[in-house]
């Protein structure tokens, strides 16, 4: 298997806080790789660095062979990114959101409409494409955001907490779409989550993150077996590797942000 | 080969700029109500302030009636007032997460900034339409020559772009809407009063003239006034006016492009 993302001692601080601490890991082509950890573990900072939004303070990383700092322009061409917050414009229709991005990513005019159509179809939004995004449901907005990130057929797609604020039904639909995305388009997906169930169901491999460091990386099954407990859950795995419960690791700021996104998604 | 590449880059830059303009115009078309509410302030300035001061004859404006002198000044003032708070949309888009997605795209950041700036120009033009309509009603002696009208159009787009980019730069530095509102309010009045918008520079004390001479609003008003009115002439010369505005805009876009990614940090 070919490595498509590689990080070497990737580090980022915010003041005295070490957000990502010498992270070295890799993601293989066509896999769904999950960064699992509580809010504040450094997942979003890692994704932001890989998506060229934040500069690392030390270490380096490459995507598809391109260095994220030296070749950021090439990196941007091969990645798609759906941030934790809402990134589709609520004051436009779904179609307009996709049209603008198709133009921004140089999707050729001849195939533009066809590709937009296909993206709507793929994410199950065909009937709502001319609705204003502010009238979409939470699950629909998330799917639209992914549709928007797919237009230029990225090799790697970063999904930062793709199911945050969604109800269980919308979450399941989202999982199906993410899985289909990998199968149909061969997209490599790096997602962050703090839902154990999500990581378990969706990811080929999981990296457990806490306080900016990765404490273990493996398939969900191997991780469960590694702690030597029969019937272990990923919760047990997380506690084993980080020494704390995932629920106890969040603070006021994280709760406020999560609730804000949840509120916006309705 | 180098020429071809440079040409391609310029074409790409222009194309991406206009994608952003298209985006902003589409949003404006979905909800044009802000254009209507924004018509109120310049109307009040011209109808109330302008008419009263024309009667008092307190401000010497040569052979031009005061109301005529003031009309282009109020147009430029409303361009400033609208544009200087444009950064609030940037902060709103940052809070939502929209900006993140644009910054991850391969579009040059300066093109993203210039696109926003030119879209602010479209909002500025709506003010021009209102001022021209009011001027008709108030019998302001307007120069209807097509070239002059196009000149006013160009000046207003340039001015709106310039002040909205200044606002974007401030937004990227202060990062919260409260601070941006504070700074916006802090600088609009000095910019307005230290300019030739509602009284000629010749009336100002020496120290204020110095400030007025480095104030972009002065150059914007000078150009707009001389192009819009039949009897006005440019004090600085149009070349200097447009030169100062263009160079300032280029510098602001360059700074804005560098600072834009910082707004998400």
């Amino acid at each position: 298997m070919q490595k498509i993302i590689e990080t070497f001692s990737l580090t980022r601080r915010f003041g005295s806080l070490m957000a990502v601490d010498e992270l070295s890991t890799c993601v293989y082509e066509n896999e769904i790789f999950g960064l699992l950890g509580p809010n504040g573990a450094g997942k979003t900072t890692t994704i932001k660095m890989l998506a060229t939004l934040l500069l690392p303070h030390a270490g380096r990383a490459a995507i598809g062979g391109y260095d994220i700092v030296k070749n950021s322009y090439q990196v941007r061409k091969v990645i798609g990114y759906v941030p934790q917050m809402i990134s589709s414009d609520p004051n436009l229709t779904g179609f307009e959101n996709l049209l603008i991005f198709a133009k921004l990513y140089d999707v050729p005019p001849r195939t533009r409409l066809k590709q937009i159509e296909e993206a709507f179809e793929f994410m199950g939004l065909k009937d709502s494409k001319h609705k204003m995004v502010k009238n979409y449901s939470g699950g629909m907005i998330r799917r639209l955001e992914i549709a928007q990130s797919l237009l230029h057929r990225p090799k790697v797609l970063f999904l930062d907490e793709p199911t945050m604020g969604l109800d269980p039904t919308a979450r399941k639909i989202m999982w199906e779409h993410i899985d289909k995305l990998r199968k149909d388009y061969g997209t490599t997906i790096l997602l962050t989550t703090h839902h154990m169930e999500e990581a378990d169901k969706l990811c080929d491999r999981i990296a457990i993150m806490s306080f900016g460091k990765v404490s273990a990386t493996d398939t969900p099954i191997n991780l469960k077996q590694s702690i030597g407990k029969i019937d272990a859950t990923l919760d047990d795995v997380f506690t084993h590797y980080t020494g704390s419960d995932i629920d106890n690791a969040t603070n006021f700021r994280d709760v406020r942000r999560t609730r804000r996104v949840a509120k916006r998604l309705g | 080969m180098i020429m071809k590449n440079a040409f391609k880059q310029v074409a790409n830059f222009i194309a991406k700029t206009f994608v952003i303009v298209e985006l902003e115009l589409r949003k404006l078309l979905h909800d044009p109500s802000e254009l209507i509410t924004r018509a109120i302030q310049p109307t009040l300035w011209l109808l109330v302030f302008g008419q009263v001061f024309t009667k008092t004859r307190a401000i010497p404006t040569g052979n031009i009636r005061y109301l005529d002198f003031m009309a282009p000044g109020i147009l430029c003032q409303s361009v400033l007032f609208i544009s200087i708070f444009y950064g609030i949309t940037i902060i709103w888009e940052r809070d939502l997460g929209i900006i993140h997605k644009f910054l991850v795209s391969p579009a040059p950041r300066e093109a993203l900034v210039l696109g926003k700036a030119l879209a602010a120009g479209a909002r500025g033009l709506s003010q021009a339409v209102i001022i021209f309509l009011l001027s008709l009603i108030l019998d302001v002696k307007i120069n209807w020559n097509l070239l002059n009208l196009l000149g006013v159009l160009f000046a207003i787009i340039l001015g709106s772009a310039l002040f909205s980019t200044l606002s974007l730069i401030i937004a990227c530095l202060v990062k919260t809407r409260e601070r941006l509102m504070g700074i916006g309010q802090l600088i609009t009045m000095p910019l307005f009063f230290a300019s030739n918008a509602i009284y000629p520079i010749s009336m100002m004390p020496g120290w204020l003239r110095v400030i007025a001479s480095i104030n972009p609003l002065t150059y914007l008003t000078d150009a707009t006034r001389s192009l819009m009115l039949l009897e006005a002439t440019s004090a600085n010369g149009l070349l200097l006016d447009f030169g100062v505005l263009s160079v300032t805009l280029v510098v602001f876009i360059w700074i804005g492009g560098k600072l834009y990614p910082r707004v998400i940090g």
Side-chain angles (χ1 to χ4, degrees):
Chain A
M1 270 194 296
Q2 193 106 34
K3 288 174 184 170
I4 193 155
I5 305 176
E6 272 187 288
T7 73
F8 306 92
S9 303
L10 200 64
T11 302
R12 173 78 200 200
R13 290 177 296 270
F14 291 107
S16 59
L17 177 83
M18 195 61 108
V20 176
D21 193 359
E22 298 200 13
L23 179 84
S24 295
T25 189
C26 72
V27 177
Y28 296 106
E29 239 172 43
N30 200 20
E31 81 174 336
I32 300 181
F33 186 88
L35 284 176
L36 176 72
N39 293 325
K43 308 182 304 278
T44 298
T45 308
T46 305
I47 281 203
K48 277 188 177 169
M49 282 193 282
L50 293 175
T52 74
L53 284 175
L54 268 183
L55 285 174
H57 284 142
R60 63 183 187 87
I63 297 177
Y66 297 117
D67 186 277
I68 56 163
V69 178
K70 286 184 212 133
N71 309 108
S72 57
Y73 178 72
Q74 274 85 355
V75 169
R76 285 184 202 136
K77 278 182 143 176
V78 297
I79 62 168
Y81 168 59
V82 180
Q84 212 172 73
M85 295 167 291
I86 295 164
S87 58
S88 291
D89 203 309
N91 297 318
L92 291 174
T93 64
F95 177 80
E96 286 172 320
N97 265 290
L98 261 59
L99 181 69
I100 293 293
F101 269 78
K103 289 182 178 178
L104 217 51
Y105 275 96
D106 293 317
V107 176
R110 269 182 302 137
T111 55
R112 202 178 279 156
L113 286 179
K114 206 177 131 239
Q115 265 174 262
I116 292 174
E117 211 58 46
E118 204 182 306
F120 273 117
E121 178 95 50
F122 190 82
M123 296 310 289
L125 291 168
K126 219 178 149 197
D127 298 330
S128 322
K129 63 180 176 182
H130 292 302
K131 262 196 201 166
M132 295 293 279
V133 173
K134 57 182 163 202
N135 300 325
Y136 274 36
S137 73
M140 284 160 74
I141 294 180
R142 277 289 186 236
R143 278 182 279 143
L144 180 73
E145 288 169 327
I146 295 182
Q148 213 171 332
S149 313
L150 288 181
L151 291 164
H152 63 292
R153 297 277 185 276
K155 281 192 181 143
V156 179
L157 184 62
F158 296 108
L159 303 174
D160 198 355
E161 308 235 3
T163 59
M164 183 201 258
L166 299 187
D167 61 47
T169 320
R171 185 176 295 158
K172 289 222 167 75
I173 295 174
M174 185 59 97
W175 291 347
E176 283 163 20
H177 277 104
I178 293 174
D179 198 44
K180 206 166 133 221
L181 196 62
R182 183 256 304 265
K183 273 192 194 123
D184 290 10
Y185 291 156
T187 317
T188 306
I189 294 162
L190 189 155
L191 59 87
T192 68
T193 182
H194 51 234
H195 286 294
M196 296 295 173
E197 195 196 349
E198 183 163 299
D200 206 359
K201 282 241 165 75
L202 206 53
C203 299
D204 301 315
R205 286 192 311 139
I206 298 168
I208 292 176
M209 250 190 125
S210 137
F211 298 109
K213 282 184 183 295
V214 167
S215 11
T217 310
D218 214 327
T219 61
I221 294 174
N222 286 353
L223 281 172
K224 286 182 214 165
Q225 280 174 353
S226 71
I227 63 169
K229 194 173 148 193
I230 307 161
D231 295 336
T233 63
L234 272 183
D235 275 307
D236 301 328
V237 173
F238 187 83
T239 314
H240 176 87
Y241 281 106
T242 65
S244 72
D245 193 329
I246 197 158
D247 271 345
N248 289 332
T250 52
N251 61 24
F252 177 76
R253 217 181 102 238
D254 305 322
V255 174
R256 191 179 58 182
R257 194 184 50 218
T258 313
R259 291 201 178 161
R260 218 183 262 166
V261 173
K263 194 176 138 209
R264 285 209 181 104
L265 288 172
Chain B
M1 190 65 190
I2 296 168
M3 275 296 282
K4 206 177 160 193
N5 264 340
F7 179 75
K8 245 181 145 176
Q9 276 192 8
V10 172
N12 178 49
F13 186 89
I14 295 171
K16 296 295 145 64
T17 302
F18 280 95
V19 174
I20 303 299
V21 174
E22 181 190 340
L23 160 79
E24 296 295 325
L25 291 185
R26 279 177 184 272
K27 280 201 269 189
L28 205 57
L29 282 177
H30 280 299
D31 183 15
S33 60
E34 64 167 300
L35 298 183
I36 296 157
T37 50
R38 277 176 176 165
I40 296 166
Q41 213 184 14
T43 309
L44 283 176
W45 273 94
L46 272 185
L47 287 185
V48 182
F49 186 90
Q51 291 212 314
V52 171
F53 270 71
T54 303
K55 283 212 175 95
T56 56
R57 294 175 196 278
I59 298 166
T61 47
N63 55 344
I64 302 169
R65 186 171 60 135
Y66 180 65
L67 196 64
D68 291 33
F69 176 87
M70 196 191 163
I74 293 305
L75 170 55
C76 297
Q77 177 233 39
S78 55
V79 160
L80 165 72
F81 280 16
I82 290 181
S83 308
I84 208 71
F85 295 108
Y86 193 65
I88 290 175
T89 26
I90 308 291
I91 290 172
W92 178 77
E93 287 182 2
R94 188 271 320 269
D95 285 349
L96 273 184
I98 297 175
I99 287 191
H100 297 66
K101 222 163 177 168
F102 281 95
L103 288 174
V104 169
S105 84
R109 270 114 196 232
E110 287 79 9
L112 300 176
V113 174
L114 182 62
K116 293 253 177 221
L118 293 180
R123 289 180 163 83
L125 285 183
S126 71
Q127 297 293 303
V129 172
I130 290 150
I131 298 284
F132 270 79
L133 282 176
L134 283 170
S135 298
L136 263 180
I137 297 165
L138 297 168
D139 198 26
V140 171
K141 292 194 181 70
I142 292 174
N143 190 340
W144 292 105
N145 184 318
L146 186 66
L147 275 180
N148 283 58
L149 290 179
L150 288 176
V152 172
L153 212 94
F154 184 61
I156 296 308
I157 292 178
L158 208 56
S160 311
L162 192 156
F163 291 119
S164 64
T165 310
L166 175 64
S167 182
L168 178 139
I169 290 172
I170 299 169
C172 293
L173 291 172
V174 302
K175 294 177 185 173
T176 70
R177 71 195 78 206
E178 290 81 7
R179 282 185 232 155
L180 178 73
M181 286 291 281
I183 293 179
Q185 271 156 4
L186 191 79
I187 62 172
T188 39
M189 281 305 164
L191 278 172
F192 177 43
F193 288 127
S195 82
N196 51 355
I198 51 170
Y199 35 73
I201 301 244
S202 56
M203 278 183 77
M204 294 179 185
W207 64 269
L208 195 56
R209 281 187 206 193
V210 176
I211 299 176
S213 71
I214 54 166
N215 181 356
L217 187 64
T218 303
Y219 297 91
L220 176 63
T221 312
D222 188 57
T224 308
R225 182 172 288 138
S226 65
L227 288 163
M228 184 174 158
L229 299 182
L230 259 180
E231 284 156 8
T233 49
S234 167
N236 304 324
L238 284 177
L239 200 66
L240 180 69
D241 285 336
F242 282 112
V244 169
L245 293 173
S246 308
V247 170
T248 314
L249 177 63
V250 170
V251 173
F252 280 4
I253 294 288
W254 181 76
I255 299 173
K258 293 276 167 278
L259 290 179
Y260 200 38
R262 275 181 55 163
V263 76
I264 61 166

